[in-house]
Amino acid sequence: NKPVPSAGSTRYDRFGTAGRVGAEQGIGAVWRTAVRGLLQAVLERLVVCEGAGYRWTKLRFEILFRSAMGPAAVAAGLCALCPSASAGDWDFTPNLTVEELFSDNVNLTQTNRESDFITVIRPGFSLERKGGARSHLSLDLAFDHTRYLRDKTRKDTTKTLNAEAGAEIYENVFFLDGMASISQATVANTAGESGTGVSDSGNRTELISASANPNVRHHFRNWADYRFDYVISNVRVEDESIDTTVTQRYGSTLTSGREFAFLRWTAETRTQETDHRGTDRKDERRLAQFSMQYVDRIVFQPTASIGYEQIKDNTITEPPDGLIWSVGGVFQPGPRTSVQLSHGQRYGDPNSSL
């Protein structure tokens, strides 16, 4: 909210640097001043934790942000693709959690069990953009520093990330969404697993995933709504025994509009291709389906669908390839009760649901 210095004046910011703002700089000077002010506000709200040997400074924050948030930067960068969006409000919240755990079997073994106290220090922060008319961002990042009391050599540092971002590139027509995440996953389901997720068994690994989803939407007045989606995602696991996968999904959906007052219908096509990097395995799934629901009757609403489905997967003995269909209805005896039933064919066998 500070006024921009007049032409020819010299302004010293909080970082100790001086900048000369001239009349010829115009909008560029205002933009740089706003960005610098935002960065200062974020850095000033950082928590400085000196206990347990941890200290968060402005420099430390920048190092962590640049080194550990590669996937998050992809999602956060989506908001920058829409320069015409309104500014909105940025909400930055640092946090710190300390946990003390006790385990009577830190290695999760059947024999030679070892007990120990485990300390988990979890600094982190959340960043959210609120009130933007055509873009949004939500990001949560945390670092788990795990230490054991009896065995000082046992220590581990992991990170957790959840980020989502989206922007409306062309009003009401072209949108771009993205997400990124970092989590801890189980390597072998047959091995031991701790209820708290903290152990020294070596059965957990880091899972990193990121995806981008450009999509196009069109509104055919009151007759129908159309949407086309293309999603590309990458899932990488730190453990080399698990394949890295790249999945591409694209499809179209056409749904009925308000002109169809008593008959709701949906036509859709979906294709998914998954490439397992480092191997010759490639999975494919294709689906084309038309479904409808007659909503004139209040108590019972008939439903029906027909389509074609094909799955190519080397891990399936008899991959489905053929016609799919179903008939049924929705029974609503009251405002709080709804029962849906159907019978048809899918995966080459009769299929019923209730």
Side-chain angles (χ1 to χ4, degrees):
N1 296 327
K2 295 182 179 180
V4 179
S6 59
S9 64
T10 301
R11 178 180 182 273
Y12 291 87
D13 58 23
R14 299 174 187 174
F15 292 103
T17 59
R20 190 172 184 82
V21 183
E24 69 277 6
Q25 291 177 302
I27 298 178
V30 177
W31 172 250
R32 286 192 297 272
T33 302
V35 172
R36 185 168 54 234
L38 173 62
L39 292 177
Q40 291 173 359
V42 170
L43 293 174
E44 287 176 354
R45 294 188 61 181
L46 287 176
V47 172
V48 179
C49 305
E50 297 183 352
Y54 297 100
R55 180 178 178 85
W56 276 33
T57 63
K58 296 178 181 180
L59 179 60
R60 176 62 174 165
F61 172 75
E62 292 179 354
I63 294 175
L64 293 177
F65 193 85
R66 293 175 182 176
S67 64
M69 290 179 53
V74 177
L78 294 177
C79 289
L81 297 178
C82 190
S84 61
S86 62
D89 297 326
W90 291 89
D91 186 8
F92 177 81
T93 307
N95 55 76
L96 176 66
T97 304
V98 179
E99 288 183 290
E100 187 65 27
L101 308 172
F102 173 79
S103 174
D104 61 352
N105 188 8
V106 293
N107 296 322
L108 301 179
T109 57
Q110 297 293 337
T111 58
N112 299 325
R113 298 187 177 186
E114 299 181 16
S115 61
D116 205 342
F117 286 92
I118 308 171
T119 303
V120 181
I121 301 177
R122 184 181 300 113
F125 69 89
S126 63
L127 179 65
E128 186 174 4
R129 183 179 186 276
K130 300 178 180 180
R134 295 174 58 184
S135 62
H136 67 275
L137 169 67
S138 175
L139 186 149
D140 292 281
L141 177 66
F143 297 87
D144 285 18
H145 302 278
T146 305
R147 300 295 183 268
Y148 293 80
L149 178 63
R150 295 182 178 178
D151 190 350
K152 303 298 183 181
T153 61
R154 290 177 173 174
K155 55 185 179 179
D156 189 23
T157 299
T158 61
K159 49 186 174 290
T160 303
L161 169 70
N162 288 289
E164 294 182 0
E168 186 178 2
I169 308 301
Y170 189 81
E171 188 173 4
N172 298 327
V173 176
F174 183 49
F175 299 80
L176 182 59
D177 301 316
M179 63 80 61
S181 67
I182 301 176
S183 61
Q184 302 301 308
T186 302
V187 177
N189 295 328
T190 57
E193 181 66 20
S194 171
T196 61
V198 179
S199 67
D200 196 36
S201 64
N203 191 38
R204 295 181 70 80
T205 185
E206 189 174 77
L207 177 67
I208 303 175
S209 64
S211 68
N213 171 215
N215 58 88
V216 177
R217 310 173 193 179
H218 185 69
H219 184 64
F220 294 96
R221 295 187 178 181
N222 294 331
W223 293 99
D225 293 313
Y226 174 78
R227 174 167 175 163
F228 174 81
D229 285 271
Y230 173 77
V231 181
I232 181 169
S233 60
N234 181 287
V235 178
R236 182 172 63 87
V237 182
E238 191 178 49
D239 192 286
E240 296 181 356
S241 63
I242 303 177
D243 299 335
T244 296
T245 60
V246 177
T247 302
Q248 298 183 72
R249 298 191 301 270
Y250 46 91
S252 300
T253 304
L254 185 66
T255 58
S256 58
R258 289 181 295 178
E259 289 292 338
F260 297 88
F262 303 119
L263 182 64
R264 298 175 184 172
W265 53 266
T266 301
E268 61 178 333
T269 61
R270 294 200 303 267
T271 300
Q272 175 176 311
E273 300 175 352
T274 302
D275 184 15
H276 297 258
R277 295 297 173 88
T279 66
D280 296 332
R281 180 182 170 187
K282 186 175 182 179
D283 305 331
E284 297 180 5
R285 294 171 180 261
R286 291 180 173 83
L287 173 70
Q289 187 174 13
F290 179 81
S291 58
M292 56 185 178
Q293 178 178 351
Y294 189 68
V295 297
D296 185 23
R297 299 182 180 275
I298 299 178
V299 178
F300 184 76
Q301 301 174 1
T303 61
S305 67
I306 188 171
Y308 173 81
E309 185 175 35
Q310 181 187 61
I311 299 178
K312 295 181 180 180
D313 191 334
N314 295 334
T315 62
I316 302 178
T317 305
E318 297 181 0
D321 185 359
L323 182 70
I324 60 174
W325 61 270
S326 69
V327 293
V330 179
F331 179 63
Q332 294 180 322
R336 299 182 180 180
T337 305
S338 177
V339 180
Q340 185 173 356
L341 53 90
S342 66
H343 175 77
Q345 176 177 305
R346 192 170 188 180
Y347 306 125
D349 296 317
N351 183 27
S352 299
S353 65
L354 175 61

